[in-house]
């Protein structure tokens, strides 16, 4: 299997200036002369959310959401929400997931989503995801919403994808989001009346928005659902996208470096493998930015005022001048150049750097920091490798066909030690 | 978490990860008494490296959580 499929530019960006140099993209992402240009079609799901606002409003919103991404919160998402669910899911596979050969066979893509749903619900503030039926229903709706909010990269009829997405969102609101919001309105009222301490309020998106009066913006009452859509999708997207790539790369790597196979349960080794995979495979095909004035980049590239440019991270993250002569290759011993992230540009840059990055990669002050977090990807990878995960030799993975994402829709594994 | 900066009178060393910092300046705007941005290097600079005042720590913690690249670390002085 080829882990390094060639990058195909989606038709959506065919008429835009293509920027694929690392330095140019880095400069654009950091520059105040550019604004968000992504999610025009999918704006109906995201307009006014943290992803698409700029300037002082953006900083204030980041401050409002700060408690959702604090170290304490990250620690709880990982140890209080992810680890117990991983344990439960693995126990269910141990008890009920064996095939005729006595081994556990499982598809990684739904498995990852089943492990991450509780984090999604916690961050957003969704209650009552507490029975197998409701859990499955919530996961299914969020999964389908994720297709709609990236409609720009869909290979299907975009108008239909949006219509379907709006219906999915309606169902999510009716069944999960509105009842959760109503409960928080009640709690916030109690707090404002002095009947409840602030510390007793939940720490989640819906509570923060209600406290701030953004649960019912005059003239834009749907804003709250658009912010929810961002957090519902963003909290799982990168891990679901990248984790299969890590397994493909490690499978190939360990064939040529069998001495490293035992390291696949070592968190430090897995961390670098995950970061390399993030560098080589981006969750979104491109990011788009709009110039606020005529700009000449340090390289001499000119971008006209109001021009929307497509930032192609795949070639940039594989630039040999930046990451060395083997930049296009996976190397779990790579040391990132000074002042560069080991994942390159994958989480974006500047003010719109992905807010969920620490959830995925972990947060630690030093490599030996015991109070830090491992990150969702390392936690799940380590669990899978401890269970003896290998790619199923009888069922090759299938790549996503409904969009231009560099992703898998099915990724069969065998857990040989479970 | 044991390293929570909200612990009263505990001292924290404020550190900038130079590989992550892009000089965006949200830290300076959130807590100007502790952070400034070196415009030449596009890098945040810590003016008060060790903070133990609870009110100031709250602002530093907000800056740490608001930083888009999460380039700020608060390390308990007894661990640093």
């Amino acid at each position: 299997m080829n882990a390094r499929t060639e990058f195909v530019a989606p038709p959506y960006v065919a008429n835009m200036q293509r920027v694929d140099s690392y330095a140019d993209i880095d400069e654009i992402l950091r520059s105040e002369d550019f604004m968000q240009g992504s999610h025009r079609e999918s704006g109906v799901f995201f307009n006014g959310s943290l992803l698409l606002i700029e300037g002082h409003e953006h900083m204030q919103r980041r401050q409002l959401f700060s408690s959702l991404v604090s170290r304490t919160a990250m620690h709880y998402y990982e140890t209080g929400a992810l680890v117990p669910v991983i344990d439960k899911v693995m126990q269910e596979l141990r008890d009920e997931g064996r095939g005729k050969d006595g081994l556990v066979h499982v598809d990684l893509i739904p498995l990852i989503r089943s492990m991450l749903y509780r984090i999604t619900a916690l961050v957003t503030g969704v209650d009552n995801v507490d029975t197998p039926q409701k859990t499955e229903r919530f996961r299914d709706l969020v999964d389908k919403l994720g297709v709609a909010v990236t409609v720009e990269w869909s290979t299907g009829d975009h108008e239909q994808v949006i219509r379907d997405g709006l219906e999915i969102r309606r169902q999510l609101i009716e069944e999960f989001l509105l009842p959760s919001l109503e409960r928080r309105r009640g709690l916030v009222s109690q707090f404002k009346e002095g009947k409840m301490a602030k510390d007793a309020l939940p720490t989640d998106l819906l509570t923060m928005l209600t406290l701030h009066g953004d649960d019912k913006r005059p003239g834009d009452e749907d804003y709250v659902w658009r912010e929810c859509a961002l957090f519902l999708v963003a909290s799982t997207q990168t891990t679901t996208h990248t984790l299969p790539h890590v397994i493909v790369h490690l499978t190939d790597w360990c064939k040529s470096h069998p001495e490293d196979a035992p390291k696949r349960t070592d968190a430090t080794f897995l961390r670098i493998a995950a970061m390399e995979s993030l560098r080589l495979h981006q969750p979104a095909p491109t990011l788009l930015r709009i110039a606020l004035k005529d700009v000449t980049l340090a390289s001499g590239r000119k971008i006209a005022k109001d021009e929307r440019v497509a930032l192609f991270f795949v070639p940039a993250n594989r630039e040999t001048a930046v990451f060395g002569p083997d930049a296009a290759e996976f190397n779990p011993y790579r040391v990132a150049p000074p002042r560069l992230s080991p994942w390159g540009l994958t989480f974006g840059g500047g003010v719109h750097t992905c807010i969920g990055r620490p959830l995925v990669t972990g947060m630690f002050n030093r490599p030996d920091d015991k109070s830090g977090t491992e990150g969702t990807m390392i936690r799940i990878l380590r669990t899978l490798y401890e269970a003896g995960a290998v790619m199923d030799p009888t069922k090759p993975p299938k790549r996503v066909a409904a969009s231009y994402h560099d992703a898998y829709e099915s990724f069969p594994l065998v857990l040989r030690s479970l | 978490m044991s390293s929570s900066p909200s612990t009263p009178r505990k001292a924290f060393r404020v550190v900038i990860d130079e590989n992550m910092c892009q000089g965006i300046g949200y830290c300076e705007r959130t807590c100007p008494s502790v952070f400034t941005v070196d415009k030449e290097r596009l890098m945040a600079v810590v003016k008060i490296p060790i903070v133990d005042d609870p009110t100031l720590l709250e602002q530093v913690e907000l800056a740490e959580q608001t930083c888009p690249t999460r380039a700020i670390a608060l390390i308990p002085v007894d661990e640093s």
Side-chain angles (χ1 to χ4, degrees):
Chain A
M1 187 184 28
N2 181 9
R4 291 185 287 115
T5 52
E6 289 305 311
F7 175 66
V8 177
Y12 185 77
V13 297
N15 296 322
M16 296 179 201
Q17 182 175 177
R18 169 180 171 148
V19 183
D20 55 12
S21 114
Y22 194 101
D24 282 355
I25 294 175
D26 193 37
E27 184 177 346
I28 289 170
L29 290 174
R30 294 173 187 230
S31 172
E32 293 180 349
D33 298 333
F34 290 85
M35 60 177 276
Q36 246 306 359
S38 302
H39 295 288
R40 282 278 176 87
E41 279 188 275
S42 53
V44 64
F45 300 105
F46 284 153
N47 278 342
S49 72
L50 182 69
L51 184 64
L52 298 182
I53 56 176
E54 305 286 345
H56 189 64
E57 185 186 13
H58 181 270
M59 190 186 76
Q60 284 187 315
R61 195 80 58 83
R62 282 291 304 231
Q63 289 177 337
L64 178 66
F65 296 159
S66 62
S67 58
L68 304 181
V69 293
S70 69
R71 282 171 184 263
T72 307
M74 292 291 164
H75 202 261
Y76 182 69
Y77 299 148
E78 188 164 308
T79 57
L82 178 62
V83 171
V85 175
I86 288 178
D87 291 345
K88 180 171 175 283
V89 168
M90 295 305 280
Q91 187 60 47
E92 286 169 0
L93 287 174
R94 196 177 284 119
D95 295 342
E96 300 162 16
R98 293 186 196 285
K100 289 176 183 170
D101 57 1
L103 298 174
V104 172
H105 297 252
V106 64
D107 190 328
L108 178 63
I109 306 301
L111 182 72
I112 297 169
R113 292 193 175 117
S114 70
M115 289 174 167
L116 292 175
Y117 82 89
R118 194 176 286 176
I119 290 181
T120 308
L122 259 178
V123 174
T124 313
V126 179
D127 301 328
N128 299 324
V129 187
D130 49 7
T131 66
Q133 292 79 11
K134 284 184 178 173
T135 300
E136 184 51 39
R137 175 71 174 151
F138 177 66
R139 283 201 310 243
D140 184 52
L141 290 172
V142 172
D143 195 15
K144 287 175 176 163
L145 183 68
V147 173
V149 301
T150 54
V151 61
E152 284 84 354
W153 317 124
S154 172
T155 54
D157 175 349
H158 287 202
E159 289 183 9
Q160 186 61 45
V161 171
I162 291 172
R163 275 197 297 275
D164 292 347
L166 287 171
E167 173 56 21
I168 291 296
R169 188 180 73 168
R170 187 194 65 75
Q171 294 173 24
L172 253 174
I173 292 169
E174 184 178 300
E175 295 174 38
F176 292 99
L177 295 175
L178 186 57
S180 303
L181 179 61
E182 294 293 1
R183 188 172 84 84
R184 278 151 186 80
R185 283 173 172 157
L187 294 172
V188 168
S189 290
Q190 288 184 49
F191 159 66
K192 287 185 175 172
E193 291 163 9
K195 296 174 183 170
M196 178 185 272
K198 193 169 186 180
D199 288 352
L201 290 171
T203 303
D204 55 46
L205 177 70
L206 283 174
T207 303
M208 294 304 124
L209 292 173
T210 306
L211 269 171
H212 198 245
D214 271 335
D215 57 312
K216 207 171 184 178
R217 275 188 183 177
D220 187 13
E221 295 192 2
D222 279 348
Y223 157 71
V224 63
W225 310 131
R226 296 197 297 275
E227 202 72 79
C228 284
L230 172 63
F231 279 75
L232 284 170
V233 173
S235 55
T236 62
Q237 200 175 43
T238 304
T239 300
T240 310
H241 162 272
T242 308
L243 212 142
H245 289 297
V246 187
I247 293 180
V248 170
H249 283 300
L250 280 176
T251 302
D252 289 347
W253 178 265
C254 290
K255 281 179 189 163
S256 52
H257 302 80
E259 69 280 7
D260 282 341
K263 293 182 185 170
R264 288 179 297 183
T265 53
D266 177 85
T268 304
F269 182 77
L270 288 177
R271 178 172 292 123
I272 303 174
M275 289 175 180
E276 271 287 272
S277 303
L278 283 162
R279 183 180 65 82
L280 293 167
H281 306 275
Q282 284 70 54
T286 78
L287 289 188
L288 309 177
R289 289 293 185 270
I290 298 168
L292 295 169
K293 62 180 189 181
D294 289 342
V295 177
T296 302
L297 302 180
S299 64
R301 179 190 289 270
K302 292 186 187 306
I303 301 169
K305 182 176 186 290
D306 297 329
E307 182 179 353
R308 194 154 66 137
V309 293
L311 313 180
F312 281 40
F313 288 28
V314 173
N317 274 354
R318 299 178 183 195
E319 216 170 90
T320 54
V322 180
F323 285 100
D326 67 341
E329 306 296 327
F330 172 84
N331 177 2
Y333 294 101
R334 189 181 306 283
V335 177
R339 292 211 66 179
L340 290 184
S341 304
W343 47 79
L345 297 161
T346 289
F347 288 104
V351 300
H352 287 294
T353 303
C354 175
I355 193 171
R357 195 272 302 164
L359 185 65
V360 176
T361 64
M363 290 200 79
F364 41 89
N365 295 330
R366 300 177 299 240
D368 62 344
D369 184 358
K370 297 289 186 278
S371 66
T373 59
E374 286 188 8
T376 52
M377 254 202 312
I378 283 65
R379 282 276 181 178
I380 296 174
L381 275 169
R382 201 155 53 81
T383 301
L384 292 173
Y385 280 121
E386 283 169 358
V390 294
M391 293 170 68
D392 191 330
T394 65
K395 291 181 190 166
K398 287 183 193 159
R399 298 188 70 85
V400 163
S403 79
Y404 288 89
H405 287 93
D406 174 15
Y408 293 92
E409 64 181 25
S410 171
F411 198 95
L413 290 178
V414 184
L415 306 181
R416 292 187 302 188
S417 311
L418 193 64
Chain B
M1 203 159 57
S2 61
S3 61
S4 169
S6 59
T7 306
R9 304 313 298 179
K10 191 163 183 180
F12 286 82
R13 185 180 300 280
V14 187
V15 178
I16 302 294
D17 182 340
E18 297 202 352
N19 291 328
M20 302 295 288
C21 181
Q22 297 183 357
I24 293 166
Y26 279 13
C27 55
E28 184 182 43
R29 291 159 68 184
T30 302
C31 184
S33 53
V34 173
F35 300 98
T36 187
V37 174
D38 181 335
K39 300 284 190 296
E40 291 293 312
R41 296 175 63 223
L42 279 177
M43 181 75 68
V45 176
V46 176
K47 294 192 284 188
I48 303 175
I50 295 176
V51 178
D52 65 354
D53 175 74
T55 306
L56 195 54
L57 265 176
E58 269 186 32
Q59 291 177 33
V60 172
E61 188 179 24
L62 182 60
E64 185 259 323
Q65 293 162 6
T66 304
C67 171
T69 60
R70 303 305 295 264
I72 301 167
L74 305 183
I75 302 171
V77 167
D78 54 9
E79 291 178 18
S80 59

